[in-house]
Amino acid sequence: MIPTAPGAATLNTTVAKHPWQPEATVSTETLVVTAVVAARFFVPLLIPRFPLPGVVAALVLDAADQSIFAAFGYDPPGYQGYDKAMDVYYLAIAYMSTLRNWTSPQAYNVSRFLYFYRLVGVTAFELSGWRPLLLIFPNTFEYFFIAYEVVRARRNPARYSMRFWLWVAAVIWVFVKLPQEWWIHIAQLDFTDELAAHPALGPAIVVALLAAAAVYWWVVRPKLSPPAWPLRIAADPLPEQARTWQQRAVWTAQAGAWSAQVLEKVVLVGLIGVIYGEVLPGLDVTSFQLFCGLAVLVFVNAAVAVVIARHRFGTDSALLAFAGRLVLNVGLVALARALVGGDRIDVRAALFLVAMLSLITFLHDRYLPVHDAREATAAPEGDVLRERVA
């Protein structure tokens, strides 16, 4: 599944397949690519429990992977497709963690719009190849997520009004993401090359950052509410109403297999699947076929989850529950592959896709009851603090 190059340099060490088989050499490049891809898969899993360091680590790893490969003088063939897929994956995990952790309904509603807005834009770009779509649909969600977690580190996000969160999103959208998206996707400039060509750019950026820090420290900070608690890095505890599987099962059973939440998950999984289908090699099916197939997968998953919830034979073990979800979906994909023709769906690409989407649907089903429990006890909009932002 991990691309390697013919004739790649090998390590001095060897790895024996079996005691009775000849020793097999392992290339340095293969180990590096495997380590990077593994890190890009597992690091986002920290986000639900450690939101701010987890998302920052995923963001840094996304920016550094190509530099890591360049340091070894290697450009993995076919990696670009997996790189785009992993970008979509870690943002999906971040969105799932808002269901688990966020206590402000206002901030959650803003983030949900920002996430799906970007997801629609990326899907449209992958289908059309028209780069301005990435400017029209900027990835504001990513930095809005970071902004929320920075606030939560010292203050109670639930005390801030919708107006405050809309201002935060607007500032990020206009002053951060639009210039960044234009630079990367429209002008297609490389920061290192531009820095070498314009030596004054570096000091100018430093001055701009210092000015922004000064504005925050002397203008914005005095108008903010006092810190509510010492620095918090880990996610807040789960609400009492949704800490065990049995408690979450009540919410799942009441929602049923046909609900607005399931329809949202159809859109979520379908769009992510279409993006994967465009960037991953070996999925020779149309986007419409893939979307419809994934819609069936989501409804089957939802129906199975409801049956399990109503009969109370689930488990609190996340690993066992995910393993069961993965086995179910592998079976569904194997059936779909047999129906459309095995030569049209590459096994490795299909397994990669089903693993990612199984994890996303599993986390959505696990965290949605937590979100509903938090929302049921949230303060109404009129009771929150209307933080001054001007």
Side-chain angles (χ1 to χ4, degrees):
M1 203 173 141
I2 305 301
T4 57
T10 58
L11 293 170
N12 293 328
T13 57
T14 57
V15 179
K17 295 180 180 178
H18 297 287
W20 60 87
Q21 289 183 341
E23 291 182 330
T25 58
V26 179
S27 71
T28 304
E29 288 81 0
T30 299
L31 289 178
V32 171
V33 176
T34 301
V36 169
V37 172
R40 295 203 63 184
F41 182 84
F42 288 107
V43 165
L45 297 180
L46 298 173
I47 298 176
R49 296 299 299 274
F50 302 96
L52 186 56
V55 76
V56 171
L59 180 62
V60 170
L61 189 58
D62 175 36
D65 55 357
Q66 296 293 345
S67 299
I68 295 172
F69 298 144
F72 287 85
Y74 182 51
D75 184 16
Y79 179 76
Q80 288 298 327
Y82 288 97
D83 177 54
K84 291 182 180 179
M86 297 308 291
D87 291 346
V88 174
Y89 161 72
Y90 95 79
L91 290 175
I93 299 298
Y95 177 66
M96 294 302 105
S97 76
T98 66
L99 291 172
R100 182 189 189 275
N101 299 325
W102 286 21
T103 58
S104 168
Q106 294 79 20
Y108 169 76
N109 289 331
V110 174
S111 75
R112 179 169 60 176
F113 168 78
L114 295 176
Y115 176 75
F116 279 97
Y117 185 79
R118 173 64 172 185
L119 192 62
V120 168
V122 173
T123 304
F125 166 72
E126 292 298 340
L127 293 175
S128 67
W130 192 49
R131 300 189 72 85
L133 285 169
L134 298 176
L135 178 65
I136 298 171
F137 296 85
N139 184 17
T140 309
F141 167 79
E142 183 176 50
Y143 288 172
F144 183 82
F145 182 95
I146 293 174
Y148 176 94
E149 292 300 336
V150 168
V151 171
R152 188 196 65 87
R154 296 298 307 277
R155 295 174 171 83
N156 181 3
R159 297 185 66 225
Y160 293 78
S161 68
M162 174 64 83
R163 181 186 175 211
F164 174 84
W165 294 116
L166 288 175
W167 268 102
V168 171
V171 169
I172 294 172
W173 189 314
V174 174
F175 295 104
V176 179
K177 292 309 298 183
L178 285 183
Q180 184 184 56
E181 299 287 1
W182 177 87
W183 178 282
I184 296 173
H185 299 295
I186 305 301
Q188 299 185 53
L189 299 174
D190 181 85
F191 180 76
T192 304
D193 293 342
E194 293 300 312
L195 201 61
H198 305 89
L201 183 60
I205 293 175
V206 173
V207 170
L209 291 176
L210 291 175
V215 169
Y216 169 77
W217 188 259
W218 281 293
V219 179
V220 177
R221 185 182 63 87
K223 297 181 179 181
L224 297 178
S225 58
W229 45 62
L231 184 67
R232 289 186 176 181
I233 298 299
D236 295 336
L238 296 179
E240 291 288 345
Q241 306 95 318
R243 288 192 175 181
T244 67
W245 179 87
Q246 289 84 357
Q247 291 171 319
R248 294 192 296 270
V250 174
W251 296 79
T252 302
Q254 290 176 346
W258 299 89
S259 64
Q261 293 87 346
V262 174
L263 291 177
E264 176 185 301
K265 190 163 52 175
V266 168
V267 175
L268 171 70
V269 172
L271 293 182
I272 292 176
V274 169
I275 295 171
Y276 280 4
E278 292 297 315
V279 302
L280 294 179
L283 294 177
D284 186 22
V285 293
T286 67
S287 298
F288 180 75
Q289 289 173 324
L290 187 57
F291 187 94
C292 292
L294 293 175
V296 172
L297 181 143
V298 169
F299 280 118
V300 171
N301 278 219
V304 171
V306 169
V307 170
I308 290 174
R310 288 175 177 172
H311 288 82
R312 303 292 197 276
F313 54 81
T315 174
D316 274 324
S317 170
L319 186 60
L320 288 177
F322 171 66
R325 176 70 58 94
L326 184 60
V327 169
L328 170 65
N329 289 338
V330 167
L332 293 174
V333 172
L335 176 62
R337 187 171 182 269
L339 293 175
V340 303
D343 57 336
R344 298 180 60 189
I345 302 179
D346 179 74
V347 173
R348 294 175 299 175
L351 289 177
F352 182 87
L353 177 63
V354 74
M356 293 290 187
L357 296 183
S358 294
L359 180 60
I360 291 170
T361 58
F362 168 72
L363 293 179
H364 192 279
D365 288 347
R366 191 175 182 87
Y367 294 158
L368 183 61
V370 178
H371 168 74
D372 290 343
R374 290 191 190 280
E375 196 170 60
T377 58
E381 169 71 13
D383 293 342
V384 300
L385 174 68
R386 296 190 178 278
E387 191 71 31
R388 290 176 294 169
V389 294

